[in-house]
Amino acid sequence: MPLRAALEAILLVVEEPATEAHLADVLERPRAEVAAALHELSAEYAAQGRGFDLRSVAGGWRFYTRAECAPAVERYVLDGRQSRLTQAALETLAVVAYRQPVSRSRVSAVRGVNCDGVMRTLVQRGLVEETGSEPETGAILYRTTNYFLERMGLRGLYELPELAPFLPEVDDVEAESLEGTMIAEAVAAARAAGEGGEAGREQ
């Protein structure tokens, strides 16, 4: 079976980004050969102006609708409706993204309000997950998931926008609240940049 055809067939049915290592194991081909084929397919689709992209996101590869086609996809799949995070959820997610692993009490301190309900919502939506506990207090710690990276269109957390270099020291709740606002604005920018091509998927 031709390698490129096999990769296309598999990537059409994956539910999350497929890693090069996994694809190489399944197809019993060298990883370097699989990686080269994936990059070739991605470049070919882009050059042909297809309605979809093959992107490397969250450590793996997956098909995504092209950003320019988002309006058409929204009308067909969403019927004009979009499921968006509330401002409170976005701010909470932002704090987790930049401070992870982090406890709910710490997130609440940064935001200045209780975040228990919002955190449960983020966990239910698969954007945040538990990752152990604090040795000192036993509080549950949270981190973002691969699904978060996928929805944001990021290859890794290193692609999150940098916070302002003049961010104040977090010595008190007031400073932490300011930090939370700046974090939210940074992640909002990343989310806006990434959601164009993702709007037609999994809404």
Side-chain angles (χ1 to χ4, degrees):
M1 182 185 303
L3 176 58
R4 286 159 58 102
L7 288 171
E8 289 176 325
I10 293 173
L11 292 171
L12 279 173
V13 299
V14 298
E15 295 184 355
E16 58 185 26
T19 65
E20 294 173 359
H22 188 198
L23 291 169
D25 287 342
V26 170
L27 297 174
E28 299 181 337
R29 305 289 282 269
R31 179 172 177 174
E33 185 179 354
V34 169
L38 289 167
H39 282 93
E40 289 172 3
L41 285 171
S42 178
E44 182 178 302
Y45 299 146
Q48 293 175 352
R50 298 289 187 89
F52 57 88
D53 288 320
L54 177 57
R55 302 181 197 165
S56 174
V57 173
W61 291 81
R62 188 175 183 179
F63 285 120
Y64 292 88
T65 54
R66 190 174 296 279
E68 292 84 346
C69 300
V73 175
E74 288 177 1
R75 286 194 296 272
Y76 180 77
V77 178
L78 306 179
D79 190 26
R81 297 186 300 273
Q82 293 192 34
S83 177
R84 295 184 180 276
L85 293 175
T86 63
Q87 182 64 27
L90 180 58
E91 290 178 0
T92 301
L93 180 59
V95 177
V96 175
Y98 280 93
R99 302 296 294 274
Q100 61 186 305
V102 64
S103 65
R104 284 184 296 179
S105 61
R106 182 63 172 167
V107 176
S108 296
V110 172
R111 291 195 58 230
V113 295
N114 185 285
C115 71
D116 290 358
V118 177
M119 190 73 79
R120 283 194 295 270
T121 297
L122 294 175
V123 171
Q124 290 171 356
R125 295 184 65 168
L127 296 167
V128 168
E129 65 184 1
E130 296 181 7
T131 177
S133 58
E134 260 183 356
E136 300 83 1
T137 65
I140 296 174
L141 297 174
Y142 294 86
R143 67 182 178 189
T144 54
T145 63
N146 277 341
Y147 181 63
F148 163 81
L149 295 177
E150 180 186 345
R151 297 304 298 171
M152 294 291 180
L154 304 173
R155 287 188 291 268
L157 293 174
Y158 61 88
E159 287 195 339
L160 282 170
E162 292 186 6
L163 295 179
F166 50 84
L167 188 67
E169 294 294 330
V170 287
D171 293 330
D172 51 41
V173 172
E174 181 178 356
E176 289 180 336
S177 297
L178 175 58
E179 180 190 25
T181 299
M182 297 179 73
I183 287 175
E185 291 175 351
V187 170
R191 182 169 182 265
E195 71 180 0
E198 319 304 327
R201 297 188 59 87
E202 300 182 15
Q203 295 288 342

